[in-house]
Amino acid sequence: METDDNKDSRETLWKLIKGTRMCMFVTLHENGHLHARPMTTQNKAIDEDDSLWFFASRRGDSVADFALRPEVNLSYANPDDDCYVSVSGRASVVVDPAKVDALWNKLAAAWFPGGQTDPDLVLVRVRITHAHYWDVKESKLRQLYEMGKAAMTGKPPTKLGESGEVRMR
């Protein structure tokens, strides 16, 4: 059962993600290196099962990486609005033609010219386990003031927006 606090946190999380949509999708490669690549979140909202959806190339290294190690990180950054989100989750390929049709858009067509049935297209679900977000609501002038004050006093700034965590599982 979802609590009001968790529902509010999920809504805040989605508000910050939908304003960015593009993330760095980070996987752990078999050689032990972290690999990041830009990917676009396809959701219209966080699914009821706490999933974010992506289209990917079947031949891409991201699919090979999370086939071995499904734990991934999605890093969203919107410096214009001072909003940042880090999502941890488990990635998997899902075969669901109806979901592909529901998420399909013209931007996806640029990457997959064969359309929704392109043999290279896979649907990727990331089930969120944890997310952390930072949303700085203060103006740039206020931020500079607070940082200058912190530099002068040696005390870290405390009035620079909100930060929160969302645990899904």
Side-chain angles (χ1 to χ4, degrees):
M1 174 133 177
E2 185 173 63
T3 66
D4 285 342
D5 286 345
N6 193 36
K7 183 176 186 246
D8 290 344
S9 295
R10 288 175 84 243
E11 288 173 3
T12 299
L13 179 63
W14 179 248
K15 178 187 76 142
L16 298 174
I17 289 173
K18 80 175 183 179
T20 307
R21 299 196 55 94
M22 182 70 71
C23 70
M24 292 303 288
F25 192 110
V26 183
T27 58
L28 184 60
H29 192 54
E30 67 180 321
N31 66 10
H33 296 161
L34 294 171
H35 283 205
R37 76 276 299 147
M39 292 180 72
T40 304
T41 307
Q42 301 299 325
N43 298 54
K44 308 284 188 279
I46 293 179
D47 278 6
E48 54 280 346
D49 68 350
D50 302 326
S51 294
L52 296 172
W53 296 90
F54 301 87
F55 293 126
S57 167
R58 182 180 308 281
R59 297 182 312 254
D61 61 347
S62 63
V63 173
D65 287 351
F66 67 71
L68 292 174
R69 294 180 182 93
E71 294 77 21
V72 298
N73 178 266
L74 312 174
S75 182
Y76 296 86
N78 187 337
D80 291 339
D81 292 334
D82 278 331
C83 299
Y84 307 90
V85 180
S86 176
V87 173
S88 297
R90 293 179 63 82
S92 61
V93 170
V94 174
V95 178
D96 185 343
K99 187 72 170 178
V100 170
D101 289 345
L103 296 174
W104 190 254
N105 58 70
K106 291 184 188 247
L107 288 176
W111 293 99
F112 302 100
Q116 293 96 314
T117 59
D118 189 310
D120 190 40
L121 173 70
V122 294
L123 183 61
V124 176
R125 174 175 56 200
V126 175
R127 295 190 80 181
I128 301 169
T129 54
H130 175 267
H132 197 120
Y133 61 87
W134 300 265
D135 186 9
V136 180
K137 299 183 184 309
E138 287 70 23
S139 70
K140 298 287 186 204
L141 186 58
R142 180 67 183 194
Q143 290 178 50
L144 286 172
Y145 169 77
E146 291 294 332
M147 287 187 268
K149 185 172 119 183
M152 297 297 285
T153 64
K155 297 178 184 172
T158 58
K159 300 177 183 174
L160 290 179
E162 75 178 66
S163 171
E165 292 190 51
V166 181
R167 294 199 185 280
M168 303 296 198
R169 306 199 184 294

